[in-house]
Amino acid sequence: WVYCETVMIGIDTDFFSTQPRNEQLRKKYGVTADEKLLVYHGGINKFNKPAIRSLCEAVGLINEKGVPCKLLRCGPNPLDFLDQISSQAAYATIDLGLLPKTELPELLALADVLVQPGQINDFEEFRLPGKVPEFLAMGLPVLLPNVNISNLFNFLFS
């Protein structure tokens, strides 16, 4: 056996915490009252690009099944694949670009569900995106792939 210790990422719960939804901000971003909203903040790179693309495509499929839904995404590097996915998925995906960190809690509070896209693979197993603790601190439902920290939730809630 090799000694190891788990160190969890810290979170500023005065900054990221449960707060009321700003309906005017939803309108500003073009989200109607009847639409479900997923929010993801994070950069895009060659490692996570397939997962973020799958998230955008999933939002398109949700709409095709008759549930009005949009995805707000912010972060560095634009989503350069929107012209390569279905028009329904591209329409439902709103890429806000890079926002100041001070705007993130209010943006996250708009969500019906916060999503950490990912696949079950070694890349996801050995990293913990810093946004997951931020998601959890917001007090909203969180979806994440069944790897890494999700195993703790399986243990806690089984």
Side-chain angles (χ1 to χ4, degrees), residues 2-138:
V2 176
Y3 175 79
C4 68
E5 189 166 329
T6 301
V7 178
M8 294 297 185
I9 295 174
I11 183 74
D12 182 351
T13 55
D14 290 330
F15 190 67
F16 290 101
S17 61
T18 303
Q19 59 184 276
R21 178 182 289 170
N22 181 337
E23 295 299 336
Q24 294 298 349
L25 191 57
R26 276 177 71 105
K27 288 179 187 175
K28 173 185 171 183
Y29 292 133
V31 181
T32 62
D34 68 322
E35 289 176 311
K36 299 297 180 188
L37 183 61
L38 284 70
V39 175
Y40 172 76
H41 72 295
I44 187 168
N45 56 53
K46 69 180 182 177
F47 300 106
N48 68 4
K49 187 175 187 174
I52 295 172
R53 181 178 174 148
S54 291
L55 175 59
C56 296
E57 291 170 340
V59 171
L61 292 173
I62 291 169
N63 280 280
E64 287 177 21
K65 295 292 184 183
V67 177
C69 182
K70 287 204 174 146
L71 166 66
L72 289 181
R73 180 270 173 176
C74 70
N77 304 324
L79 302 179
D80 61 359
F81 53 76
L82 293 179
D83 61 342
Q84 301 164 17
I85 60 177
S86 76
S87 59
Q88 180 80 350
Y91 169 77
T93 301
I94 301 166
D95 192 2
L96 302 173
L98 188 59
L99 297 177
K101 186 168 181 126
T102 56
E103 295 181 22
L104 292 182
E106 190 173 38
L107 179 72
L108 296 178
L110 298 177
D112 293 294
V113 177
L114 298 165
V115 179
Q116 172 58 50
Q119 302 166 336
I120 299 173
N121 60 32
D122 287 344
F123 173 70
E124 296 293 346
E125 187 64 45
F126 292 105
R127 77 178 190 120
L128 174 59
K131 68 188 72 56
V132 171
E134 295 170 359
F135 285 172
L136 296 170
M138 296 303 297

